[in-house]
Amino acid sequence: MAEQDQTTPPYWRWIPTSFALAGIIVFIFATFGPPASSSGFVSVLKGFFQAAAPEYIADKTHYQAIPGPGSWLMAFVLGMAIGGFIAGRTSKRIPVRDMPPIWEKRFGPSRIKRYAATFLGGFLILLGSRLAGGCTLGLFISGSTQLAVSGLYFGVIIFGVAMLTARLIFGKMERTETMDDIE
Amino acid sequence: MTKVWLGLFSGIAFGYVIQRIGATDAHRMARSHLMLDSDIPRFMVLATALSALGLFGLQAVGIGRTLVLPTSLVATGLAAVIFGIGWGIAGYCPGTTWAAAGEGRMDAVFALIGGLAGTLLFAHFHEVLIPLLYDPTNVGQITLTDLFGSYAIAVGVLAIGFGFCAWGIGKVWGERMRVVEFRQGHGESSSSPSE
């Protein structure tokens, strides 16, 4: 446990980063409108069906309500992937890994198990997001920025339930878990 | 076309910043949920408070577009519970799956595919689920401005409230928080143990 590493975490500090993200969000409000990312999933599927099965989405409200490829929403999620790629490639210290150490410690090194779990997790977050009309960004952050009660209500519950779920999954590891003791 | 470039630029900046705070790392997200690491929740609420102040400024000079989503007591609440379970399991939310997949995290790629499946399912049953779950308890596009009667006061209440949350999360989480430490090479693959 190198002492100098302890004092210099690889991440940006949270206060300046909050200003950076708020700047981006205000820019988005000024140039587009409320930022959203779960709608990008609908745009992707809409693009797929427009090419593969246009008759299927012709009378589907959900696909009619969200613009397809070529929209800001779709460009935004693709941009997120590009931004993540650039950030990942230019950071020497933030590790990119396929499996969180905390997961490996709790469930073992099976990649299939982890990928099945994230598939299920991804399924649930989008099912919830599409029902509510937005996600962490599109409903909690965008909504609260606009003082929407829906965003505050959604935000309180997602944090509470995620904390409870993490506690149920990882159990007692909670007290001992650190970044460095996975070896 | 301008819209697409703006969206792409905004997405790149957004993805870059959330990677740098560690929000694309499911390990760090799990630690945040377990109250071992307070940076991400504090970052989320402070960024929202600052955005609310920024949007207030934009509105004052007549710039920007807003769209308040309605609150449905049952649908928004139930959706949040489903979402919270998924977030707790995967450690990813819809936005971070894109950035984390771009970063090269394979588990995020599967979260993204799962997300497409979830979207497909909901969109298929939209016509059944919305009238059943959303509409009956939809109380409309209510905001704090409706509650406090003035946009300026409501923004102040939200900014102070969220600022207090950012401070409080640090207090509550802080006692058990340890500074994250990394070993080079560790985590790159499970076949390179550093012991």
Side-chain angles (χ1 to χ4, degrees):
Chain A
M1 232 173 276
E3 214 54 51
Q4 65 272 28
D5 281 351
Q6 291 262 352
T7 54
T8 54
Y11 301 115
W12 284 359
R13 303 189 66 80
W14 68 278
I15 293 178
T17 316
S18 302
F19 277 89
L21 193 78
I24 296 166
I25 291 170
V26 172
F27 173 80
I28 295 172
F29 268 105
T31 57
F32 167 68
S37 43
S38 73
S39 306
F41 284 81
V42 185
S43 297
V44 171
L45 287 177
K46 185 171 178 174
F48 171 76
F49 284 122
Q50 276 173 346
E55 65 284 358
Y56 171 70
I57 55 165
D59 59 344
K60 287 261 175 258
T61 318
H62 212 73
Y63 294 108
Q64 299 312 316
I66 308 270
S71 62
W72 187 96
L73 292 165
M74 175 97 181
F76 181 72
V77 291
L78 290 180
M80 291 260 264
I82 298 168
F85 175 80
I86 296 170
R89 287 297 164 275
T90 53
S91 170
K92 290 192 174 64
R93 297 189 57 216
I94 298 176
V96 175
R97 46 198 169 201
D98 295 336
M99 179 151 11
I102 189 171
W103 179 275
E104 190 169 350
K105 199 175 183 190
R106 175 72 180 80
F107 295 103
S110 164
R111 280 167 184 262
I112 292 172
K113 211 186 266 185
R114 172 63 184 164
Y115 296 163
T118 55
F119 180 91
L120 175 68
F123 180 86
L124 293 174
I125 55 175
L126 264 299
L127 190 63
S129 294
R130 296 327 307 154
L131 175 57
C135 54
T136 316
L137 176 60
L139 187 51
F140 171 62
I141 295 179
S142 283
S144 303
T145 296
Q146 301 171 85
L147 315 180
V149 172
S150 52
L152 299 168
Y153 177 48
F154 188 76
V156 168
I157 301 174
I158 61 170
F159 272 108
V161 174
M163 285 167 68
L164 197 68
T165 306
R167 202 147 291 224
L168 288 172
I169 291 176
F170 298 114
K172 292 199 175 91
M173 295 176 60
E174 158 234 338
R175 291 202 173 273
T176 56
E177 178 60 22
T178 57
M179 276 288 184
D180 50 278
D181 63 1
I182 316 281
E183 301 192 43
Chain B
M1 205 54 206
T2 315
K3 287 276 178 218
V4 172
W5 288 111
L6 282 171
L8 202 63
F9 171 76
S10 304
I12 291 170
F14 204 102
Y16 188 88
V17 168
I18 62 170
Q19 193 273 350
R20 281 292 186 263
I21 189 85
T24 58
D25 186 345
H27 184 81
R28 195 171 204 210
M29 197 57 91
R31 286 173 50 86
S32 307
H33 287 149
L34 293 169
M35 302 173 75
L36 291 164
D37 190 335
S38 63
D39 279 17
I40 291 175
R42 294 176 104 183
F43 156 73
M44 287 170 67
V45 294
L46 183 62
T48 306
L50 295 169
S51 301
L53 293 172
L55 181 62
F56 182 76
L58 282 186
Q59 299 278 290
V61 293
I63 301 174
R65 181 176 70 92
T66 58
L67 176 64
V68 172
L69 290 173
T71 304
S72 165
L73 297 175
V74 170
T76 310
L78 176 67
V81 171
I82 296 170
F83 185 104
I85 295 169
W87 196 19
I89 293 172
Y92 294 115
C93 49
T96 64
T97 58
W98 289 92
E103 208 184 343
R105 297 175 191 273
M106 268 313 282
D107 59 348
V109 173
F110 281 86
L112 209 161
I113 298 167
L116 289 170
T119 306
L120 185 71
L121 185 80
F122 183 81
H124 188 78
F125 293 108
H126 177 104
E127 286 80 3
V128 180
L129 294 172
I130 294 293
L132 184 71
L133 298 170
Y134 203 99
D135 296 340
T137 54
N138 184 354
V139 290
Q141 296 170 299
I142 50 172
T143 66
L144 293 183
T145 306
D146 301 325
L147 200 64
F148 293 101
S150 142
Y151 184 29
I153 293 171
V155 165
V157 168
L158 182 111
I160 292 167
F162 272 41
F164 181 79
C165 283
W167 173 80
I169 290 166
K171 278 279 161 203
V172 176
W173 268 240
E175 292 300 309
R176 297 188 291 166
M177 184 181 142
R178 280 190 257 176
V179 175
V180 171
E181 186 255 353
F182 281 101
R183 271 184 203 179
Q184 294 303 325
H186 145 249
E188 296 298 321
S189 84
S190 48
S191 60
S192 61
S194 49
E195 58 212 339

